[in-house]
Amino acid sequence: MRLPSVFRRTPFRLTLSFLALFATAASALLLYVYFASQSEAANRARAGVERELSTLEGIYRERGVEALNAELIDRASRGGPYLFLLMDAEGQPRTGNVNESPIVDYQGGEQWESFRLSGADEQGRVARRWAMGVQLRLPGGELLFVGEDIGDSEQYLNRLSLYLWGAAGIVFLLGLGGGLLVSRQVEGAMARLNAVVDAARSGDLQQRVAVQNTGDELDELAGNLNAMLDRLEQSMASIRHAGDAIAHDLRSPLTRMRARLEVALIDAEAGRVDGQEALARALGETDDLLKTFNTVLSIARLQAAAEIPDATHFDVAEMATDIAELYGPAAEDKGLDFAAEITPGLQINGNRAFLAQALSNVVDNAIKYTPEGGAVMLRARRRSSGEVEVSVTDTGPGVALEDRERILDRFVRLDDSRTQAGAGLGLSLVRAVAFAHAGRIDLSDGPGEIDGFGPGLRVALVLPPL
């Protein structure tokens, strides 16, 4: 027969293991307490008997057997826990509060023995109580037995043991009940987690685990699972959006390419040379398509990498200087004022090729969207925090605050940029490069309205220090 699920859960099994360990430890402790208390009671009784024996021996030595006999009669009449018996040399009883000595096989000297003493309990029932005593032969040949009834100590130890075992039983039951309660709570929490995981496995990424705000491990697991599902949902949405954007943005160039190839085929059949020009244009658009797909693959590689691919130590200042020298002439050809302020010695650990491509995309965008007569500034410096910042500031139209986060997504192009060449992947690649280098990309306003230009845009790539 299969056990209920609560009994198969790890918390319940751990509870049973703990209870078994507790029961073993408690049993050992109870046995130790019992035997230690029993030993202590026996030691106290032995000490008391030795005192009584020493006193009676003193009376015998000083005043003789008759004085000892009178003393025993007096002590027996007063009652108490002590047992006395004075016997003659043949062992026949003379005086005492017991009828016979419990030490039947006397070997001589002081002979100790523990025994059971018959008597009546508080309800009048016959009971055998624990006692101990010593017997010795006096110088005159008489035998003297002195003992103590320690049945009260035994009863106390029995009651103590009973109470301790009862307390252990209560603790065991409470522990078992607590284990069942904890197991049910954990089972409920795990059931909620499994329900969300099953839903995600079935394709439903909308489900989330309710966080109880208790700050425990289950809440931490629920929070991490929800964060993972948020990231997965964003990734799936990005994939869907990328597919839609690819279909939208590549439809026109593919259509133009097909038309030009068709024209090239007709021109070739008619013997006209314009077919070669059409083929050259189609080849150029094919290169643009390949560049778009290569950029998408680069972004995917960066997002999938657990660390910076092919990382090396290099100077960002030297890379920024190369970019400035590369794009300076292009900016001047468009009639832009291009300048660079680069602090030397900006060492980082990263992939130079990816960072150079990212910075090139930012500079290219600035030149592309800044009108003639505007300005573009490239800066590379170290922040007071130790981070390395490479920024590009332009005096172009800028980007509205509500669109700044959106333009970092793949294939996103604002309405006023549709007339420009490109696929909307430049800043997306920049963000992927920053993320792979444990950095970030910051977008802010440029210098503002200056001589009819602006407000501009400032794009900063912030990288961690070496």
Side-chain angles (χ1 to χ4, degrees), residues 293-365:
F293 280 113
N294 288 333
T295 303
V296 172
L297 290 176
S298 297
I299 294 174
R301 179 188 175 191
L302 287 171
Q303 291 177 339
E307 56 185 12
I308 307 171
D310 304 325
T312 58
H313 291 8
F314 69 95
D315 190 353
V316 173
E318 295 180 358
M319 181 192 72
T321 301
D322 294 341
I323 298 297
E325 293 176 354
L326 177 65
Y327 282 91
E332 293 177 0
D333 291 343
K334 190 178 178 182
L336 302 178
D337 183 11
F338 185 88
E341 293 180 359
I342 300 173
T343 302
L346 303 176
Q347 292 288 330
I348 68 165
N349 182 53
N351 185 298
R352 181 188 176 100
F354 275 124
L355 286 170
Q357 184 178 0
L359 183 57
S360 298
N361 288 351
V362 177
V363 175
D364 184 69
N365 279 349

Side-chain angles (χ1 to χ4, degrees), residues 199-201 203-208 229-230 232-233 236 240:
R201 187 172 57 183
D204 183 7
L205 300 179
Q206 301 295 324
Q207 300 296 323
R208 295 294 184 272
L229 290 174
D230 290 339
L232 182 60
E233 186 177 15
M236 295 301 294
R240 288 193 295 269

Side-chain angles (χ1 to χ4, degrees), residues 440-457:
R440 64 186 184 278
I441 178 172
D442 293 336
L443 303 180
S444 58
D445 288 330
E449 294 282 350
I450 300 177
D451 297 332
F453 296 97
L457 180 67

Side-chain angles (χ1 to χ4, degrees), residues 406-418:
R406 192 166 64 89
I407 64 172
L408 298 177
D409 295 333
R410 285 184 291 184
F411 299 103
V412 172
R413 303 182 68 194
L414 302 182
D415 292 337
D416 56 359
S417 66
R418 288 290 177 179

Side-chain angles (χ1 to χ4, degrees), residues 79 114 145 203 207 229 276 335 350 375 391 432 434:
S114 298
F145 170 80
Q207 300 296 323
L229 290 174
Q276 292 182 348
S391 64

Side-chain angles (χ1 to χ4, degrees), residues 111-157:
Q111 183 171 335
W112 289 85
E113 189 166 327
S114 298
F115 57 93
R116 289 289 180 176
L117 180 67
S118 298
D121 59 13
E122 297 176 353
Q123 288 75 30
R125 295 173 299 187
V126 177
R128 295 180 61 81
R129 298 162 60 85
W130 184 31
M132 67 181 305
V134 60
Q135 182 172 300
L136 79 162
R137 188 174 296 276
L138 298 174
E142 298 88 351
L143 292 173
L144 176 62
F145 170 80
V146 180
E148 182 178 354
D149 180 0
I150 53 178
D152 291 340
S153 298
E154 181 184 29
Q155 292 178 1
Y156 169 75
L157 291 176

